[in-house]
Amino acid sequence: MIEWSEEDLMIRDAVRGWIDAEVRPNLDALDAGELPPYDLIRSLYKTFGMDEMARSSFQKRLAREREGGAGGPGASGSGSDEERPGGGDAAMNMLPIIELCKVSPAWSPRWASASASPPGRS
């Protein structure tokens, strides 16, 4: 079982608040496919700084690859925050997915496809 830190629990609560304000009012339209989830996911990324974490991580990995260092495709690293896709810590990467899937399991494949795009691309 994962033991969340106090900071992780504060992030979780903030994500839950965002979901209550942004996702729940649109849940029927999202589940029916009438409202694509991409703008909401972009908003989530921006609200919690995940867009900048992902962009920074991508730029660092790209620079290492250009320098001929580790971090290129297929490279195995220590799993540090800088090397983890999306950057940031594991909790910040996991908590939004966990909380969104609690609201609607249909979010799982939508989240994966929407968050697979490189930063700044849709």
Side-chain angles (χ1 to χ4, degrees), residues 15-40:
V15 168
R16 286 179 178 175
W18 182 89
I19 289 170
D20 288 343
E22 302 293 331
V23 176
R24 288 188 192 276
N26 297 301
L27 198 53
D28 290 338
L30 286 162
D31 285 343
E34 298 166 1
L35 176 66
Y38 307 111
D39 288 339
L40 284 172

Side-chain angles (χ1 to χ4, degrees), residues 8-20 44 47-48:
D8 296 336
L9 295 175
M10 290 186 332
I11 292 169
R12 181 204 61 195
D13 292 344
V15 168
R16 286 179 178 175
W18 182 89
I19 289 170
D20 288 343
L44 175 71
T47 299
F48 292 98

